[in-house]
Amino acid sequence: MKNSFTLFGLLLAVLVITACTNFVQTDSDIGTLKGTVSYRERIVLPNNARIVVSLVETNIQDNNSSKVISQHSFLAEGAQPPVEFTLQYMKSKIQPDTSYRVVATIEVDDKLLFSNQSTKALNIDPLTTTRVDIPLVKA
């Protein structure tokens, strides 16, 4: 009798673990973009400068509306351009025949200093592109 309760408990634990594995994101679904953000001006970034890098889906048919697929925000903390970044995204969110670009900004005290939004979009294929260097312009 005691063995049947143990066996039942073990079977129940296996079923729960198996059911939950569908909710756990696997490493094979995670893509990584690495690169740098830089600008030409001779301006030192303060430690509290916030750098935001986003992978954006651009829909040309819908008045160039865009949807953020992934975003990474971090403080400069002494780093100066070119500043390295790593952006992870879920490959399952990437659709074939869809345009994607990387958008980057640098802000200090909620004031936009640099951006690449007003320049030509950096078109990438997230499934094959692993590195992108983003030139920023003064806002």
Side-chain angles (χ1 to χ4, degrees):
M1 182 82 166
K2 186 176 182 181
N3 285 339
S4 62
F5 282 123
T6 303
L7 184 60
F8 179 73
L10 183 61
L11 180 62
L12 184 61
V14 169
L15 287 174
V16 167
I17 290 171
T18 304
C20 290
T21 56
N22 291 336
F23 300 111
V24 177
Q25 189 174 344
T26 62
D27 287 343
S28 64
D29 190 37
I30 297 176
T32 302
L33 282 174
K34 293 184 178 190
T36 61
V37 293
S38 61
Y39 51 83
R40 298 179 75 169
E41 290 79 1
R42 292 184 173 209
I43 299 173
V44 175
L45 285 178
N47 289 337
N48 68 332
R50 178 166 304 285
I51 301 164
V52 180
V53 181
S54 306
L55 176 61
V56 178
E57 176 185 314
T58 305
N59 189 342
I60 297 171
Q61 291 86 8
D62 192 15
N63 295 328
N64 284 329
S65 68
S66 54
K67 176 174 84 172
V68 175
I69 301 298
S70 179
Q71 187 173 70
H72 178 59
S73 174
F74 58 98
L75 295 177
E77 296 181 332
Q80 297 302 316
V83 179
E84 296 279 335
F85 70 86
T86 300
L87 179 66
Q88 294 187 326
Y89 61 93
M90 292 177 48
K91 291 179 182 177
S92 59
K93 289 190 173 185
I94 304 302
Q95 303 299 318
D97 301 324
T98 302
S99 296
Y100 295 91
R101 64 185 181 139
V102 177
V103 175
T105 59
I106 299 177
E107 309 171 344
V108 175
D109 299 327
D110 294 327
K111 180 182 176 190
L112 183 63
L113 293 182
F114 295 95
S115 173
N116 75 323
Q117 292 177 337
S118 62
T119 63
K120 182 181 177 188
L122 296 171
N123 292 316
I124 62 164
D125 178 357
L127 295 176
T128 59
T129 304
T130 58
R131 179 154 186 92
V132 60
D133 297 313
I134 306 170
L136 303 179
V137 295
K138 195 166 184 173

